[in-house]
Amino acid sequence: MTLSEPNGMSRIPVAVLGATGAVGQTFIRLLADHPWFTVAEVAASERSAGKTYRDAVQWLEGDLPADVARLTVRVCDPGEIQARVVFSALDSSVAGDIEAAFAQSGAMVLSNAKNFRMAADVPLVIPEVNAAHLALLSVQRAARGWPTGGGIVTNANCAATVAAMALAPLHEAFGVRRVFVVTLQAVSGAGYPGVPSLDALGNVIPYIADEEPKLERELNKMLGRFDGRAITPAPFAVSAQVNRVAVEHGHLTCLAVELTQAAPMDEIAGALQSWSGDPVACGLPSSPARPLAVTTQPDRPQSRRDVGAGRGMTVTVGRLRPDPLFHVKYVALGHNTIRGAAGGSILNAEVLVRQGVIRA
């Protein structure tokens, strides 16, 4: 099923919160000329409110879309925003109350922030992996008293997104018992201006605040089962170590995995190569031809060469080999600001359009 317009109607107006930041700008770029959505409103902090977007933003990449450049920046208040679909690139320090206020007002919020990810009634979604969790929205509305149309859907931490997509085929085929993951994360994951150059250049920083607990929690929720009322987390253990490296875009995850059911390497490789994820996520405007690509080249994936696969929406897996402690080890690479942030949220919204949850 491929749609060029939702229900044959005009494009759905959307708002971007935190529109002047790095992830907000990625939303603007990815939504330019989107066949289903049009950016009708932008919102940011009070110091930017009242300015045109062109004057408020320090634009970082490519050309600023002219139709968005002319928009007046509003404050992040549901009383100021008419759009009923809201993409949030807000920092977690302010996202919680603001996103809840928009959901309470009847808006569907697609959030990149961590505030609601682990809430029992909030879907934490990668569509190819766990689109079924979107049905949790009805539980959320009932529990919180939010109106029809209102709700919050979150996407995962950018490194957890890459790891979850690389783990999902093996968990589906064989079950996963234990995971050890080491990440090499790009500087763009810290936002703009991000990591000072004298800290980043020629250096590896073996610490990113709050990042390891996110990986160790979020993977279990995303790969858990939804029974119609709640999500039962996947029962495997995760140990994570994270590092910031001097790469612009692309989070590399090195995974060692113990399976519940041991399998020969050819079957493990076959599970990864044949995986295409939930059909509901196929053929959408932001869907890549393949969500997971497997390379057999011994020195791939590499950030410089592979991060743009599938317009930044494909995760590339390589270096698949037996592990002397667990069963298998391999490497996965994904674009942190596209698949791991703005692009992931937009794909979530496209699935909600396909399901009829978001309407024109």
Side-chain angles (χ1 to χ4, degrees):
M1 178 179 181
T2 301
L3 306 178
S4 58
E5 293 278 343
N7 303 318
M9 300 175 67
S10 59
R11 291 191 294 168
I12 299 169
V14 304
V16 178
L17 309 183
T20 57
V23 174
Q25 292 183 39
T26 305
F27 273 119
I28 300 299
R29 287 198 308 274
L30 296 179
L31 289 166
D33 302 318
H34 192 283
W36 294 4
F37 304 124
T38 183
V39 178
E41 296 164 293
V42 291
S45 64
E46 291 185 357
R47 67 177 176 272
S48 297
K51 300 177 182 177
T52 64
Y53 186 69
R54 176 186 290 107
D55 292 336
V57 70
Q58 183 177 349
W59 191 253
L60 300 175
E61 184 178 336
D63 295 326
L64 173 57
D67 54 343
V68 179
R70 294 189 292 266
L71 295 176
T72 299
V73 178
R74 304 177 184 274
V75 294
C76 297
D77 184 323
E80 299 289 325
I81 300 293
Q82 295 183 359
R84 298 293 81 195
V85 178
V86 174
F87 293 105
S88 174
L90 294 170
D91 186 85
S92 60
S93 61
V94 297
D97 290 343
I98 293 173
E99 291 176 357
F102 273 93
Q104 178 66 54
S105 77
M108 179 59 64
V109 180
L110 291 304
S111 172
N112 274 260
K114 67 180 181 181
N115 303 65
F116 290 100
R117 285 177 187 158
M118 297 308 298
D121 60 353
V122 174
L124 176 63
V125 175
I126 301 170
E128 295 93 341
V129 173
N130 64 336
H133 292 194
L134 289 168
L136 194 59
L137 280 167
S138 60
V139 177
Q140 180 187 126
R141 291 179 183 132
R144 297 175 184 257
W146 289 346
T148 301
I152 296 174
V153 174
T154 62
N155 55 309
N157 166 271
C158 41
T161 295
V162 177
M165 291 183 67
L167 285 168
L170 302 190
H171 189 53
E172 290 173 13
F174 313 110
V176 169
R177 181 172 292 156
R178 289 191 295 174
V179 179
F180 179 61
V181 56
V182 176
T183 72
L184 307 174
Q185 298 185 211
V187 292
S188 59
Y192 185 85
V195 182
S197 60
L198 289 178
D199 288 336
L201 294 176
N203 196 22
V204 175
I205 303 169
Y207 173 74
I208 304 171
D210 300 324
E211 200 80 354
E212 289 164 355
K214 291 176 190 174
L215 277 160
E216 292 171 353
R217 293 192 304 261
E218 293 177 19
L219 290 172
N220 300 86
K221 182 174 181 179
M222 284 186 287
L223 295 174
R225 293 185 178 180
F226 178 59
D227 64 5
R229 300 181 304 276
I231 295 168
T232 301
F236 56 80
V238 181
S239 176
Q241 292 187 335
V242 302
N243 304 271
R244 184 76 71 192
V245 297
V247 169
E248 184 179 9
H249 298 303
H251 287 356
L252 193 75
T253 63
C254 303
L255 298 142
V257 182
E258 181 181 5
L259 302 172
T260 303
Q261 175 187 338
M265 288 302 300
D266 60 339
E267 291 186 17
I268 293 171
L272 291 166
Q273 290 166 346
S274 63
W275 188 79
S276 58
D278 193 313
V280 76
C282 296
L284 295 166
S286 298
S287 301
R290 290 199 60 80
L292 202 68
V294 179
T295 176
T296 58
Q297 294 178 252
D299 60 349
R300 302 281 282 273
Q302 296 179 21
S303 299
R304 182 174 294 175
R305 293 174 170 83
D306 300 303
V307 74
R311 294 167 294 141
M313 291 293 285
T314 293
V315 169
T316 303
V317 169
R319 299 215 64 216
L320 185 68
R321 58 215 192 275
D323 184 76
L325 297 179
F326 295 165
H327 288 119
V328 60
K329 56 185 174 184
Y330 54 112
V331 175
L333 172 74
H335 200 301
N336 50 295
T337 65
I338 298 180
R339 171 57 86 162
S345 279
I346 294 170
L347 186 58
N348 284 345
E350 291 168 1
V351 172
L352 290 172
V353 171
R354 173 168 281 179
Q355 293 177 335
V357 177
I358 292 176
R359 300 177 183 273

